[in-house]
Amino acid sequence: MSLASKWFGFGQDPLFDQGVRAMTSSDFDTAIESFEAVLQREKDPGRMQTILRNLTECHSRVADAALAVGDAASALAAVRRALRLHPSYPDLHLKAAKAAFPAGDLEAESASVEQALRLNPRYADALLYRAAMAMRSGDASASKVHASSAQDAQPAYANAVREAMALAESGELPNAAARLFAAVGAAAGDANTRAMAADALSKDRRYEEAAREYELALQLAPNYADIRCKFGQTLLELDRVEEAEHAFRQALEVNPRYAEAWAQLGIALKRLSKSEEAKTAFTEALKLDPTHPIASIEGSRRR
């Protein structure tokens, strides 16, 4: 049985399964309705957290769709619903910033970026966004500092940073800011496409192909902890456990506050018979997310 079927609970509840299918086909309104109905009657803490994570993803995708058509108010409302469910996701806070600006809430924009960076100080997209905000406000020196940090975290941003700084030096601050804003997320575009392909392959249990796609994604975006974590999960499925351990540790080097990576590291360590280290990993996951399903189950087995 794959990790997904073990922990996500597919095949145990028809309404939950309907939500998963709707989510997979991008029918997020139906998925939200299904998951919320299941949540009303669900008693198992682990499955409740799975449902909440799925709801978070659905609201986030609704926000993406609203942003794509310029409906900032709806996007901000959707991403805030997602954040109420899972406030510990840096990418959601950055998405809130992207929606807050066109909605005219500059205070919320700034606060959202800073919260994303509190959760992950090496979050390259948030660092670049902060640089763009500084440039937009006319503070070219602060922008240069923030952009340099973004470039260190994600080398693929080097060209955008160089072009923006050249524009700033020639006095074209609005164009420089626009160049930085346009670059936010661009470095991960191809990487996310690869990762989505890998996700689909993994669902079909084509783990060798999935692992290769994750590797290609990581070549494009080496500092994306979520892709490293998914790569590690695929390696676990292939019984390449030592490599999986390494992938999870790399994810945690990028973001030490990533509860999922701590939990998956615990699984890898447990399979390597490193019981004490596994216990520590599960404990770290629970510190960051006290209701994490995997860490909660593993923790209860020790009591």
Side-chain angles (χ1 to χ4, degrees), residues 117-138:
L117 288 168
R118 276 191 288 272
L119 291 166
N120 181 5
R122 285 185 53 79
Y123 186 12
D125 286 333
L127 288 165
L128 193 65
Y129 196 100
R130 185 161 66 177
M133 287 194 303
M135 189 70 77
R136 186 179 66 201
S137 69

Side-chain angles (χ1 to χ4, degrees), residues 60 64 67 76 79 83 87 89-102 108-117 119 123-133 157 181 183-186 224:
S60 176
D64 289 338
L67 278 172
L76 189 56
V79 75
L83 281 167
Y89 289 177
D91 62 311
L92 288 179
H93 288 282
L94 184 59
K95 195 172 294 185
K98 292 178 180 178
F101 174 67
E109 178 194 29
S110 179
S112 296
V113 172
E114 294 309 312
Q115 181 59 20
L117 288 168
L119 291 166
Y123 186 12
D125 286 333
L127 288 165
L128 193 65
Y129 196 100
R130 185 161 66 177
M133 287 194 303
Y157 285 141
F181 277 121
V184 174
Y224 281 76

Side-chain angles (χ1 to χ4, degrees), residues 271-295:
R271 287 177 58 176
L272 291 168
S273 300
K274 299 179 181 179
S275 300
E276 288 304 311
E277 291 181 63
K279 180 179 178 181
T280 299
F282 290 130
T283 299
E284 290 297 322
L286 287 172
K287 285 179 183 177
L288 296 165
D289 183 352
T291 58
H292 191 284
I294 296 174

